Amino acid sequence: MMGGYPPGAARLDQGLQYLKGVGPARAQALQRLGLVTIAQLLEHYPRHHDDRTVLRPLSELQLGCRQTFSGCVVSVNELMPRPGMHLVKVGISDGTGLVVGIWWNQPYIKRAFTRGAQVVMTGRVENRFGELQVDSPEFEFPDRAASLSTGRLVPIYPLGAGLTQPMFRKIAHAALQGYGQAVPEGLPATVRDRLGLIEAGQALRDMHFPPNLDALERARRRLAFEELFVLQVALSQFRRMHRVMRPGISHGPNGEAVCKVLAGLPFQLTGAQQRVTGEIWADMAGPLPMNRLVQGDVGSGKTVVAALAMAKAVDSARQAALMAPTELLAEQHYANLRSYLEPAGIRVALLTGSTGRRRRRELAKQLAGNGLEVVVGTHALIQEPVGFSRLSLAVTDEQHRFGVRQRLALQQKGPCPDVLVMTATPIPRTLALTIYGDLDISSIDELPPGRRPVKTFWRTQDRRMLVYRFLREQVEAGGQAYVVCPLVSESPKLEDLAATELARELSGGPLRGLQVGLLHGRLPSKTKNATMQAFREGQLQVLVCTTVIEVGVDVPNANVLVVEGADRFGLSQLHQLRGRVGRGRQQSYCILLAEPRTEPARQRMDVMVGVSDGFRLAEEDLRLRGPGEFFGIRQHGVPEFKVADLSRDLGMAELARAEAAGLLAADPMLARPEHAALHAAVLSRFGEKFGLMFSG
Ligand code: ADP
Ligand code: MG
């Protein structure tokens, strides 16, 4: 919200030493929290608020629960019940009763208390030895004058060493008093009025020191909206500038390549595939650079859509590149794209980390010359000094695994290629707009005909042998199966070991006599490819694997998927895994082996059994886990918010998008004086991203 200011408000950029009560030592402690300027301090919001509007008299405290109370220090004692054991006991009284705070082996605590001081304590009250005792209570000495710590909703901040709650409260309060007026109003009055949102200064004050819970909620709403609004404005501008500043390539009409690819398809495109292909072609033909996300449920047939876009590039005598997150996936795309494109005379090559040096040099030469139209690869594509002579279409698959930076790196391999991003994690539209707001979105919301929905079951461990007997029957009837080993920990290494172990156990036990293969991330890629090939060709009947098969792997004859320890996975991940089967005409089965210990884990299993639609599942996942976990910690592309929470503020995100669109339609460059603060906020939060976009 703050950061870039209209000239009058520049004081908010001042360092914290200008605040009363902040000396060099505290300034340093604050800096460790990332707080350097007054604006940053004001935006360091409380973790929560303690309701201390009414403190119970000590005689009315409830035993066994955590509460806050206050009194006057009446005794400070030090005891050594045994050698090496030290005890501080501080008694406080409010005239109605006596409570004793107890600290073990923290002799220095004693020095904090003087008889007669007023103190506020928080902790669990127990009745022991006929005394009301609290172990290691939090405590603070309320300021006698300004009562920031009692008789109100009291802010509790995330803090580090060298800072205490009362100290920080005072500093925050002083900052609000001195600088609260200077906070720029980033939301135009018209927007605020229409949505009934309070002013910036008010919101900031109430976020820290709300008079009541309603005021706190109003403040939160206002600030959350502003975050989402600024993001939406930035994304729109991002997209706009991208177009205005970089005229794109206008591809010509479809020609021989597109016709031949279409004619050679072994199936009819679904309605959704046709529509989305049309959207892409229209973008490619237009003079502005395409920036489009294609999202489609697993198995919806995204690859062929990419192939048709590539064919259009070739019809304009251009080149296309596709970048995939793993070698396995790149190999598979390579195989599929070749099958679509080569019959039309289009030359396709593969470039990954394991492409030999000589071959690389050869490829680079072909790409720089006239010898190659399409290249498929991993991030080796952008790491290498690979130069294209006429790249006009850059496709990235499974985008959520790449960062913006990598997407841009591929883009910059050509003068201003059209960009197509494919993702197999379908997400609710509003969320997609929030995260990928700089992209146009196409959805392949229809599966190819003749697919039979995968039957999903959840079984507990005591049925494990029955599950494997079922798997064996299916395989003996001509099917193939995946067995996914559980996520054991954060460590892929352990996971790989677990898969190896599981493969050994199964092929020596319940799956004895079947051809069982093993696939995990750390096998040499030669081995991986050979194993995958053998499975694809039916020489292996069962593939024991880690989540390396999660994205994209396509073997239509596989019809059984067993997931061990399924409760360890998130819904979206399970859905991705389930997408590996149900790709052929035979009935497929997904069996989740799980002993969920928590209610949410149990719910996830039920949702998997009951819901097969990827978009609905993603919504459920978001609801059950919240956006942080939903996307995996620290994944690229998910904007970080201080106040907004996408799992509960999705409706608000939609509003913000609509309001941003309206505002920009009227004032595209944010040039009007009443939008100056908003403009500044956008630049301060997203300026770096804009810079990244237009560098190089
Ligand atoms: P995605 O990448 O969207 O999960 P793929 O592109 O891998 O899906 O396609 C999944 C499977 O569906 C492939 O075996 C592909 O040949 C097949 N397929 C794609 N489109 C159609 C269609 N219109 N009709 C029948 N099969 C299709
Ligand atoms: Mg795919």
Side-chain angles (χ1 to χ4, degrees), residues 1 17 100 188 225 247 252 283 358 487 498 537 606 611 645 672:
M1 165 170 93
Q17 67 276 15
V100 180
F225 180 84
D283 279 0
R358 263 188 50 202
L487 285 171
E537 287 169 0
D606 286 337
V611 180
D645 170 358
R672 293 187 192 161

Side-chain angles (χ1 to χ4, degrees), residues 267-270 273 298-303 340 448 451 554 583:
F267 44 71
Q268 275 240 293
L269 292 179
T270 63
Q273 282 171 323
V298 283
S300 61
K302 292 181 287 293
T303 316
Y340 295 132
R451 294 272 172 82
D554 182 34
R583 295 179 159 248

Side-chain angles (χ1 to χ4, degrees), residues 22-37:
V22 181
R26 281 187 190 168
Q28 225 170 37
L30 290 165
Q31 189 171 1
R32 279 196 295 272
L33 287 177
L35 309 180
V36 177
T37 66

Side-chain angles (χ1 to χ4, degrees), residues 601-667:
R602 175 180 293 273
Q603 281 175 9
R604 283 207 297 280
M605 295 304 106
D606 286 337
V607 170
M608 277 305 292
V609 171
V611 180
S612 60
D613 176 76
F615 288 91
R616 264 196 60 206
L617 260 172
E619 268 170 33
E620 286 291 323
D621 204 9
L622 185 62
R623 195 176 59 72
L624 289 175
R625 295 200 299 167
E629 275 203 67
F630 174 72
F631 291 104
I633 309 301
R634 291 204 172 276
Q635 249 174 6
H636 301 280
V638 185
E640 282 191 17
F641 299 113
K642 286 200 162 89
V643 184
D645 170 358
L646 285 178
S647 61
R648 60 184 263 200
D649 295 332
L650 263 193
M652 201 186 268
E654 194 129 29
L655 262 181
R657 186 173 167 85
E659 288 291 344
L663 183 115
L664 288 170
D667 181 15

Side-chain angles (χ1 to χ4, degrees), residues 302-303 333 397-398 552:
K302 292 181 287 293
T303 316
H333 275 308
D397 189 18
E398 317 299 354

Side-chain angles (χ1 to χ4, degrees), residues 352-368:
T352 68
S354 36
T355 305
R357 249 211 282 157
R358 263 188 50 202
R359 175 80 183 129
R360 272 181 208 216
R361 266 208 299 276
E362 199 180 312
L363 283 177
K365 220 164 100 191
Q366 290 176 343
L367 281 171

Side-chain angles (χ1 to χ4, degrees), residues 448-465:
R451 294 272 172 82
R452 292 211 241 165
V454 177
K455 286 192 177 155
T456 302
F457 303 96
W458 161 29
R459 295 288 181 261
T460 45
Q461 289 298 336
D462 53 327
R463 311 277 292 277
R464 189 162 177 263
M465 285 306 131

